[in-house]
């Protein structure tokens, strides 16, 4: 779309980010009759899916295994059929409140046509996440060429068609790291080993078996990369087994290699959102939201990996849809947000976090609760209590820290209540 | 010689000091007017102690040739490039070293109608100490009165505003606070004030109560018991300053030869003047040689026949915190322990950057390898303790860290001015903290001394016609007003195409960095010039795009793009039979 300076850009819903969450949000908002704008900083929409050429996407959504680009293409097609203004290569530089909170937000955007202002009643923040770097996991030694995040390596191989290394060591067993072990091998590089500081892989089981075991790539658990050697290009890395955060002396080894690929965690991108000072969740590193994905800033919604890091794109799209629809209803004053109250959810026991962190009540239907455990466990009992009364109990098997779990909570159990505190506890079930 | 009895006495002093340090295996002998230490000791620390034991005894310099078995002292790294590009070239002035001193002298001399060449062995300016420091323009308090450091620091500090205006770099003059650890330190305030007066530190410098410190720095540690405010402390980006000097010098006719190392010096038959310089790119001639070679300045002096001092590397590590921390600290604050063993470091602290990040550091660690820029977990552990100086700072905000190596002499003072032995040689050596702050004053004096030597050789010193002291930097779109930014993008849409999302850097800025008068040659070169890839994702998202832009603008294959010069190729090979077109 050509920007016209004379025309004031005004929307009901502005979606920031054109990945799977943002596309789903824009579609859902448009279907509710909202005037929708989608901002994407890259040349094409699709987000990180564009470089995920492996399959396994869409099992829940489409009941088939799609590649990333195929999954993105389906949503892009749907988006194309709707009257949504998609601004690509457009960068959001700032968000300000536009008058009183009901008046929405004023955005400044930049693209090759210039700098423009955009007024919107609501915002859906769908900026995804970024990768933790070697420096953020405190790897020391030299700092040569040849240190890549798994996402960088994936972009370079899958989109640019170049090998970033021929003899690689991978640190971290996140899903992209596992997938890159496979991709690098298929493109002719040798993967010397994959090191994981935890006692179990942090990626999905299927990726461990398909990407490592099938290719004979050794997985070293409880181990990490301490230092990088080589002043110009990586020449070797020093690895060791770790015990309580300290390298075990006689396990320190030097592994010759020309590159180090890191898959050591993802960080939701919320710097732009934080300029509005929403309540944040320290565990998810995303904003605290209710079941409509609404943050503590009125009319600002969050979804996808910007909200919390998901395992499956299907859930990312789902949260985008929820956020998009809720934003559209909010913009047309149909959300009923001024009525009722809010219940606060807290995660307890062997739970790292639970999402949403709040429930707006009264409300109908069921809300999917997403949670992760701190420690893997063969069995665990999830108990949801509201003001001390147990409202839901369920036993889970084979809980893994790496895998997000989901449970639907029927809101009718809150009949009559407009708030209170809801404790979600995972306890080890007596054997 | 007449001085001999005197020198003998001084030598005895050195031997006594060595003996007191328990370093009886070290021999001290006279080398011209310097003292030369030799022999073997058991550790690097002992070698360091011997060096300091010999310093301050009245010699022209200390040459520390002590060997430490098992500790290698690597020689200077030399560029891989070999050609004859400089064979037969003739310069009035050749400056060795493309740091802030070398580039600053070149710029100062470019006011005159002279042929000036700068030799830098790395592929860019500001790659060693000048690009690896915290960018703090010290007020001039730390150095002992009477030293060159004290004399040049406050003068240099004062000159930075002119440099910033002419050369278009950002400067933030927000002052600094020396925090008091205990109440009794308030007794030192008059002593600190006196030192400021003696060192001509711009004021008004004053003591602060704990409450006054909190008013200025609300997030500062509760442990402080007051402090001492020095308002003239300023902050700059050290590599941007150096590059700005280099660009302005280049705009005014100076030649910059990167990947060019000085390998040897030919002297006249009697050894009193330099005739030719041997490099990896051919042999050239010069009328004056200026030694601004940083950690290698002692080796350059030796090559030029004027060996009288040794440099020892002292590594410092800094950690960089996320820009989001900017509101938490506006002035550098440190809380030095006056009882600390290490006399040669100001102890570090929390330092705000002109870019909005906050730095922690620097540390101080004697190293045998002068180009050792590695970091290690142990030193890093001591560095992060500085986080305690501010209540809002924590380890999770660290986005990166780096090391630099200070070029320290054993006397711990600058070595400035004409060689006493070689007629056409000038030294600007042993420049380390507060070297960056002192640079404008050092460069001005060095240029004058150089002109004096040229005048003695009957070289006419005329002003360069059309000299322009003004350099305009690359536009920083992020910091522009809305109207200016919009107008710029309409004129050139490349400034509206944001490549680096964390720092909001446009394709236009990256392109400008690749075609400036001292252009970026590598991904790191772009980062230093425009900050693309310097943010919190550290190039996670923009690296592939930057590589593509570089390949197109430089007209090289994608595999030709390097991170930090030859040998640091980023992509190994195409996965296809035929290389795809870069997008």
């Amino acid at each position: 779309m050509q920007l016209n300076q004379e025309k004031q850009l005004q929307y009901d819903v502005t979606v920031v980010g054109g990945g799977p969450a943002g596309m789903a949000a824009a579609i859902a908002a448009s279907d509710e009759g909202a005037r929708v704008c989608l901002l994407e900083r890259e040349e094409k929409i699709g987000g990180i899916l564009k470089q995920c050429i492996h399959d396994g996407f869409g099992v829940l959504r489409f009941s088939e295994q799609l590649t990333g680009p195929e999954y993105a293409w389906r949503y892009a097609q749907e988006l194309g059929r709707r009257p949504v203004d998609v601004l690509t290569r457009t960068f959001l530089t700032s968000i300000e409140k536009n008058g009183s909170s009901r008046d929405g937000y004023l955005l400044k955007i930049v693209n090759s046509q210039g700098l423009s202002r955009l007024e919107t009643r609501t915002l859906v923040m769908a900026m995804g996440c970024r990768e933790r770097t070697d420096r953020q996991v405190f790897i020391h030694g030299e700092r040569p060429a040849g240190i890549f995040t798994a996402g960088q390596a994936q972009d370079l191989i899958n989109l640019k068609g170049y090998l970033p290394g021929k003899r690689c060591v991978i640190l971290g067993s996140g899903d992209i790291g596992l997938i890159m072990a496979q991709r690098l091998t298929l493109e002719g590089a040798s993967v010397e080993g994959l090191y994981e500081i935890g006692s179990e892989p942090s990626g999905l089981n299927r990726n461990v078996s398909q990407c490592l075991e099938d290719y004979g790539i050794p997985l070293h658990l409880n181990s990490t990369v301490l230092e990088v050697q080589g002043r110009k290009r990586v020449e070797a890395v020093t690895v060791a087994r770790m015990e309580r955060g300290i390298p075990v002396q006689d396990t320190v080894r030097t592994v010759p290699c020309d590159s180090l690929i890191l898959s050591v965690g993802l960080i939701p991108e919320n710097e732009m959102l934080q300029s509005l000072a929403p309540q944040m969740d320290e565990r998810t590193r995303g904003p605290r939201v209710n079941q409509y994905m609404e943050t503590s800033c009125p009319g600002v919604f969050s979804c996808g990996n910007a909200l919390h890091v998901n395992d499956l794109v299907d859930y990312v799209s789902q949260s985008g849809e929820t956020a998009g629809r809720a934003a559209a209803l909010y913009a047309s004053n149909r959300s009923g947000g001024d009525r009722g109250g809010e219940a606060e959810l807290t995660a307890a026991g062997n739970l790292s976090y639970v999402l949403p962190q709040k429930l707006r009540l009264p409300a109908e239907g069921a809300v999917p609760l997403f949670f992760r455990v701190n420690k893997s466990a063969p069995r665990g009992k999830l108990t949801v209590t509201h003001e001390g009364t147990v409202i839901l109990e369920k036993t889970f098997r084979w809980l893994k820290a790496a895998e997000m779990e989901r449970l639907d909570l029927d809101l009718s159990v809150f009949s009559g209540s407009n708030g209170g505190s809801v404790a979600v506890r995972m306890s080890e079930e007596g054997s | 010689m007449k001085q001999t009895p005197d020198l003998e006495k001084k030598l005895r002093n050195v031997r006594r000091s060595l003996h007191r340090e328990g370093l009886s295996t070290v021999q001290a002998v006279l080398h011209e007017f310097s003292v030369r230490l030799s022999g073997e000791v058991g550790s690097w620390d002992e070698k360091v102690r011997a060096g300091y034991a010999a310093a301050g005894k009245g010699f022209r310099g200390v040459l520390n040739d002590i060997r430490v078995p098992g500790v290698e002292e690597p020689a200077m790294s030399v560029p891989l490039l070999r050609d004859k590009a400089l064979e037969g070239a003739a310069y009035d002035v050749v400056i060795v070293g493309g740091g802030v001193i070398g580039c600053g002298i070149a710029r100062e001399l470019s006011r005159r109608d002279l042929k000036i060449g700068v030799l830098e062995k790395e592929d860019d300016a500001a790659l060693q100490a000048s690009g690896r420091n915290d960018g703090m323009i010290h007020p001039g308090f730390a150095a002992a009165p009477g030293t060159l450091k004290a004399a040049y620091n406050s003068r240099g500090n004062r000159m930075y505003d002119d440099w910033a205006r002419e050369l278009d770099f950002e400067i933030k003059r927000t002052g600094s606070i020396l925090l008091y650890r205990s109440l009794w330190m308030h007794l030192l305030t008059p002593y600190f004030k006196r030192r400021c007066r003696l060192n001509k530190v711009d004021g008004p410098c004053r003591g602060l109560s704990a409450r006054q410190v909190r008013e200025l720095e609300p997030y500062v540690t509760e442990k402080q018991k007051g402090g001492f405010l020095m308002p003239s402390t300023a902050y700059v980006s050290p590599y941007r300053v150096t590059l700005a000097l280099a660009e302005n010098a280049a705009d005014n006719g100076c030649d910059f030869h990167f990947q060019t190392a000085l390998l040897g010096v030919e002297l006249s038959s009697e050894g009193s003047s330099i005739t030719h310089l041997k490099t990896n790119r051919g042999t050239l001639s010069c009328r004056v040689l200026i030694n601004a070679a940083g950690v290698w300045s002692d080796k350059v002096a030796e090559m030029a026949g004027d060996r009288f001092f040794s440099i020892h590397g002292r590594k410092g590590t800094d950690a960089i915190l996320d820009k989001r921390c900017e509101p938490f600290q506006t002035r550098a604050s440190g809380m030095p322990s006056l009882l600390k063993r290490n006399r040669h470091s100001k102890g570090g602290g929390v330092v705000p950057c002109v870019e909005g990040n906050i730095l922690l550091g620097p540390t101080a660690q004697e190293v045998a390898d002068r180009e050792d820029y590695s970091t290690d977990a142990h030193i890093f552990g001591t560095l992060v303790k500085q986080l305690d100086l501010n209540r809002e700072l924590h380890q999770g905000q660290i986005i990166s860290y780096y090391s630099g190596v200070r070029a320290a002499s054993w006397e711990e003072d600058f070595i400035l001015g004409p060689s006493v032995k070689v007629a056409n040689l000038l030294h600007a050596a042993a420049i380390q903290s507060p070297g960056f702050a002192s640079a404008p004053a050092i460069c001005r004096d060095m240029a004058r001394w150089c002109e004096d030597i040229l005048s003695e050789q009957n070289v006419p010193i005329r002003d360069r016609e059309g000299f322009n002291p003004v350099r305009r930097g690359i536009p920083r779109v992020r910091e522009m007003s809305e109207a200016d930014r919009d107008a710029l993008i309409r004129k050139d849409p490349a400034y509206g195409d944001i490549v680096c999302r964390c720092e909001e850097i446009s394709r236009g800025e990256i392109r400008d960095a690749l075609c400036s008068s001292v252009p970026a040659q590598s991904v790191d070169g772009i980062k230093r010039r425009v900050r693309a890839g310097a943010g919190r994702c550290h190039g996670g998202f923009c690296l592939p795009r930057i590589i593509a832009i570089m390949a197109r603008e430089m007209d090289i294959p994608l595999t030709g793009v390097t991170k930090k010069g030859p040998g640091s190729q980023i992509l190994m090979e195409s996965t296809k039979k035929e290389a795809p077109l870069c997008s």
Side-chain angles (χ1 to χ4, degrees):
Chain A
M1 193 191 96
Q2 282 286 112
L3 280 189
N4 183 338
Q5 282 300 296
E6 281 67 46
K7 188 184 97 183
Q8 183 68 32
L9 296 167
Q10 279 181 326
Y11 295 95
D12 297 320
V13 177
T14 298
V15 179
V16 185
M23 290 192 291
I27 291 166
S30 180
D31 287 350
E32 286 292 340
R35 283 168 302 159
V36 182
C37 175
L38 175 72
L39 302 177
E40 168 54 49
R41 49 191 160 195
E42 290 187 22
E43 198 175 352
K44 294 191 179 108
I45 55 170
I48 214 71
L49 288 174
K50 297 195 297 290
Q51 65 188 53
C52 299
I53 63 171
H54 55 281
D55 72 354
F57 298 94
V59 179
L60 301 178
R61 196 81 198 158
F62 300 108
S63 302
E64 54 182 311
Q65 302 229 13
L66 305 173
T67 64
E70 284 170 333
Y71 187 97
W73 184 83
R74 291 200 182 185
Y75 273 90
Q77 291 295 304
E78 285 295 316
L79 191 58
R81 292 191 200 106
R82 288 166 174 80
V84 172
D85 288 342
V86 177
L87 303 181
T88 54
R89 283 234 164 149
T90 299
F91 190 85
L92 174 64
T93 67
S94 74
I95 305 176
E96 284 164 42
K97 275 196 175 154
N98 200 6
S100 78
S101 62
R102 289 305 286 185
D103 291 330
Y105 296 88
L106 178 67
L107 312 187
K108 285 177 201 155
I109 57 172
V110 160
N111 59 21
S112 52
Q113 270 101 51
L115 188 144
S116 333
R117 286 155 175 263
L118 182 156
E119 283 180 44
T120 185
R121 285 294 307 280
T122 65
L123 272 166
V124 178
M125 306 302 278
M127 298 85 62
C129 53
R130 65 173 180 268
E131 296 175 276
R132 210 181 286 276
T133 67
D134 58 317
R135 303 265 128 180
Q136 281 147 9
V137 293
F138 303 110
I139 293 177
H140 288 282
E142 304 282 350
R143 203 178 175 185
I147 305 174
F148 302 93
T149 61
Q152 271 180 336
Q154 194 175 40
D155 181 326
L156 293 169
I157 296 181
N158 293 351
L159 297 179
K160 299 283 185 300
Y162 280 84
L163 263 186
K166 293 165 88 171
R167 204 173 171 193
C168 317
V169 165
I170 299 180
L171 175 63
S173 57
D175 286 310
I176 331 170
L178 297 168
I179 286 155
M180 287 318 292
Q182 179 195 44
R183 283 293 297 140
L184 284 159
T185 310
L186 290 175
E187 293 293 352
S190 81
V191 177
E192 304 293 311
L194 193 145
Y195 294 82
E196 165 60 51
I197 196 158
S199 55
E200 55 185 296
S202 57
L204 300 174
N205 268 338
R206 70 159 192 239
N207 284 331
V208 175
S209 64
Q210 287 171 16
C211 303
L212 298 186
E213 288 161 16
D214 291 0
Y215 294 88
I217 296 167
L219 169 66
H220 305 273
L221 294 172
N222 301 305
S223 301
T224 195
V225 172
L226 300 172
E227 284 199 355
V228 174
Q229 285 144 46
R231 288 197 175 167
K232 293 289 188 180
R233 175 84 199 186
V234 174
E235 289 164 13
V237 295
T238 309
V239 298
R241 256 185 81 84
M242 302 293 280
E243 254 171 39
R244 286 182 296 276
I246 297 165
V248 179
Q249 261 321 309
D250 51 2
T251 66
V252 179
R253 287 189 303 127
T254 300
V255 180
C257 58
D258 63 17
S259 52
L260 171 64
I261 315 273
L262 296 120
S263 173
V264 288
L266 301 170
I267 305 170
E269 287 232 81
N270 285 303
E271 279 67 27
M272 190 53 82
L273 173 65
Q274 279 175 286
S275 66
L276 297 173
Q279 287 172 17
M280 299 293 288
D281 183 323
E282 275 177 27
R283 295 312 299 259
T284 60
R285 299 187 71 159
R288 288 166 54 84
V289 294
N290 62 24
Q291 73 267 38
Y292 306 109
M293 307 295 142
E294 186 178 9
T295 68
S296 62
C297 303
V300 180
F301 299 78
S302 172
C303 56
N305 280 353
L307 178 59
H308 67 138
V309 176
N310 290 258
D311 304 338
L312 298 176
V313 70
D314 311 68
Y315 290 142
V316 166
S317 299
Q318 194 181 46
S319 72
E321 241 160 61
T322 305
R325 187 177 307 119
L329 294 176
Y330 182 100
S332 55
N333 302 320
R334 287 182 285 154
S335 66
D338 298 338
R339 295 191 304 273
E342 267 184 343
E344 298 275 330
L345 273 70
T346 49
N350 185 23
L351 276 191
S352 165
Y353 68 80
V354 60
L355 199 112
Q357 294 90 342
K358 296 179 282 188
L359 289 172
R360 197 201 296 152
L361 296 172
E364 287 168 5
V367 166
L369 298 182
F370 290 97
F371 52 88
R372 272 181 208 276
V373 293
N374 284 318
K375 254 183 21 220
S376 298
R379 282 159 76 88
K381 193 167 95 182
L382 190 83
T383 314
V384 183
T385 53
H386 177 231
E387 296 292 307
T389 311
V390 175
I391 53 173
L392 185 64
E393 270 183 316
K394 195 184 171 193
T395 302
F396 286 79
R397 279 170 192 281
W398 305 116
L399 287 161
K400 289 196 68 186
E403 288 177 22
M404 196 166 81
E405 298 283 350
R406 181 197 151 130
L407 176 67
D408 283 341
L409 177 65
D410 187 344
L411 296 181
S412 61
V413 296
F414 291 103
S415 57
S417 173
N418 276 0
S421 61
V422 178
V424 184
R425 170 180 292 274
M426 181 69 80
S427 43
E428 279 187 37
E429 197 157 69
S431 45
Chain B
M1 271 196 286
K2 211 174 156 208
Q3 294 99 323
T4 307
D6 186 34
L7 286 171
E8 275 304 327
K9 202 173 127 199
K10 289 175 181 172
L11 212 47
R12 276 199 300 279
N13 263 336
V14 170
R15 289 181 185 133
R16 255 200 305 278
S17 289
L18 288 168
H19 187 73
R20 265 202 301 277
E21 288 281 338
L23 301 165
S24 44
T25 55
V26 176
Q27 291 103 53
V29 295
L30 202 60
H31 173 93
E32 293 167 5
F33 296 98
S34 299
V35 59
R36 177 173 176 269
L37 307 177
S38 59
E40 264 184 21
V41 292
S43 69
W44 190 256
D45 177 59
E46 287 184 344
K47 173 167 176 167
V48 170
R49 275 163 44 213
Y52 284 125
K57 303 288 190 289
F59 289 97
R60 190 178 163 217
V62 177
L63 291 165
N64 192 339
D65 292 340
I66 297 170
R67 276 174 302 110
V68 185
V71 178
E72 204 193 335
E73 289 185 57
M76 180 177 91
S77 69
V78 172
L80 303 166
L81 182 67
R82 290 283 180 284
D83 66 17
K84 289 282 165 200
L86 290 179
E87 188 65 40
Y91 284 102
D92 292 318
V93 183
V94 167
I95 301 166
V96 183
V100 67
I101 301 295
C103 295
I105 296 171
R107 189 241 180 187
E108 200 59 36
L109 281 172
S110 70
R111 294 172 191 276
R112 312 287 180 227
D113 188 15
L114 297 168
K115 198 160 183 273
I116 301 155
V118 178
L119 310 185
E120 169 54 57
K121 76 185 181 74
E122 306 294 335
D123 79 323
D124 202 352
L127 274 190
Q128 297 196 343
S130 296
R132 298 172 168 277
N133 67 81
D134 57 16
M136 185 166 159
I137 304 304
H138 295 277
F141 168 80
T147 59
L148 289 176
K149 282 185 178 178
Y152 279 89
N153 187 342
S154 53
R155 234 183 97 202
N157 176 306
R158 217 165 289 137
M159 290 165 76
Y160 258 95
D161 292 327
D162 286 342
W163 263 21
R165 199 174 43 249
E166 289 180 346
L167 298 167
D168 191 20
F169 60 76
E170 303 148 281
I171 184 163
K172 192 153 82 176
R173 202 178 278 279
T174 48
S176 62
I177 304 175
L178 178 79
L179 296 174
Y180 293 168
R181 215 172 253 280
S182 32
L183 277 171
W184 68 263
M185 285 183 74
H186 283 279
L187 298 174
L188 294 175
T189 303
Y191 166 78
F192 289 162
K193 279 188 173 170
R194 181 168 170 273
R195 175 173 268 204
C196 286
R197 245 186 342 268
L198 288 172
N199 284 358
K200 299 191 172 64
V201 174
D202 289 340
C205 301
R206 60 190 170 96
L208 302 172
S209 67
R211 188 179 53 80
Q212 286 171 318
V213 169
R214 261 197 310 278
E215 274 164 18
L216 289 172
E217 293 291 343
Y219 306 103
V220 77
T221 169
E222 307 279 359
K223 286 185 205 143
Q224 56 94 10
K225 301 286 190 296
F228 187 70
L229 174 72
M230 288 168 279
S232 67
T233 307
Y235 308 90
V236 297
S237 159
Y239 37 87
R240 282 208 183 170
V241 171
T242 307
L243 288 164
L245 288 164
E247 282 179 24
N248 188 238
D251 290 343
N252 286 304
C254 288
D255 294 339
F256 280 81
H257 302 290
F258 294 107
Q259 292 187 58
T260 307
L262 180 68
L263 302 176
V265 177
E266 278 176 33
L267 296 163
S268 59
S269 52
E270 70 279 20
S272 63
S273 67
I274 293 161
T275 59
H276 290 89
L277 306 174
K278 278 187 266 185
T279 74
N280 54 318
R281 313 194 64 191
T283 298
L284 61 154
S285 67
C286 68
R287 295 179 193 273
V288 176
L289 176 68
I290 297 182
N291 172 13
V295 288
W296 302 112
S297 54
D298 57 339
K299 304 293 176 193
V300 169
E302 184 176 352
M303 275 191 257
D306 189 23
R307 180 164 198 248
F308 71 97
F309 63 96
S310 292
I311 294 292
H312 56 113
R314 187 160 58 237
K315 182 154 89 174
T317 302
D318 276 299
I320 309 173
L321 274 63
D322 194 290
K323 268 187 167 177
R324 260 179 298 164
C325 303
E326 182 171 17
F328 305 141
Q329 185 104 24
T330 41
R331 310 163 180 77
S333 327
M335 197 190 277
S337 163
L338 299 181
L339 309 168
K340 219 167 154 187
R341 251 186 87 240
N342 192 340
R343 319 165 265 175
H344 304 294
S345 155
K346 284 178 283 295
V350 180
V351 181
C353 292
V354 75
E355 296 92 342
N357 303 79
I358 282 179
L359 296 180
L360 296 183
T363 55
Q365 177 193 13
E366 297 289 336
V367 287
D369 181 349
R370 302 182 195 178
E371 295 184 30
D372 173 5
Y373 299 131
S374 65
T375 58
D376 71 72
H378 173 69
I379 292 292
F380 194 74
T382 63
L383 176 62
V384 296
K385 291 204 180 93
Q386 308 278 4
L387 287 168
D388 294 343
L389 288 170
N390 185 307
R391 291 180 282 124
E392 288 293 321
L393 303 183
H394 57 83
Q395 194 157 335
Q397 294 157 337
I398 294 174
I399 60 166
S400 193
Y401 34 93
Y402 64 90
S403 294
V405 178
R406 304 171 181 91
S409 71
W410 298 106
E411 312 280 356
E412 291 289 337
D413 202 2
F414 303 150
I415 294 168
L416 297 176
S419 158
V420 298
K421 214 178 142 198
V422 180
N424 56 349
L425 171 66
L426 280 154
H427 300 292
I431 310 288
Q432 53 114 358
S433 182
F436 212 92
S438 310
I442 292 175
C443 296
R444 180 158 296 173
D445 286 3
M446 289 293 295
R448 281 197 192 129
W449 288 320
C450 179
E451 288 169 20
D452 290 347
I453 294 176
L454 288 165
S455 299
E456 280 164 31
Q457 294 181 33
N458 299 318
V459 177
I461 304 295
R462 283 189 293 259
D463 286 344
R464 176 181 299 276
E465 213 172 294
F467 170 77
N468 183 2
V470 176
R471 168 253 183 199
R472 281 287 148 245
I474 296 167
R476 295 186 288 266
V477 295
R478 180 186 189 140
E479 290 153 32
M480 291 171 95
S481 73
E482 266 177 68
D484 289 353
R485 187 169 177 174
D486 189 55
L488 180 70
I489 297 168
R490 281 157 190 279
K491 222 161 54 189
D492 185 346
Y495 292 113
D497 179 7
I498 300 296
V499 175
C500 164
R501 55 179 73 176
C502 303
E503 296 291 316
E504 213 176 306
I505 308 301
S506 63
R507 180 165 52 85
E509 291 162 86
I510 294 170
R511 176 207 58 205
D512 291 355
L514 289 163
C515 54
S516 74
S517 25
V518 180
Q521 303 287 333
S522 63
V523 171
D524 283 357
I526 290 189
K527 182 162 92 177
R528 284 189 297 274
R529 282 166 179 78
V530 297
R531 282 186 72 71
R536 53 181 72 95
C537 90
H538 249 71
F541 287 111
C542 61
L543 177 74
R545 226 185 135 201
I546 290 174
I547 294 174
I549 294 170
M550 287 177 71
R552 192 171 51 228
E553 294 287 335
M554 296 166 82
D555 198 19
I556 54 173
L558 289 171
T559 47
V561 175
T562 67
K563 176 174 169 22
K564 49 202 312 191
S568 65
Q569 179 187 357
I570 294 172
L571 301 177
M572 301 307 265
E573 59 184 30
S574 168
T575 58
K576 310 289 178 288
K577 289 264 157 39
E578 286 163 304
L581 295 170
C582 60
S583 59

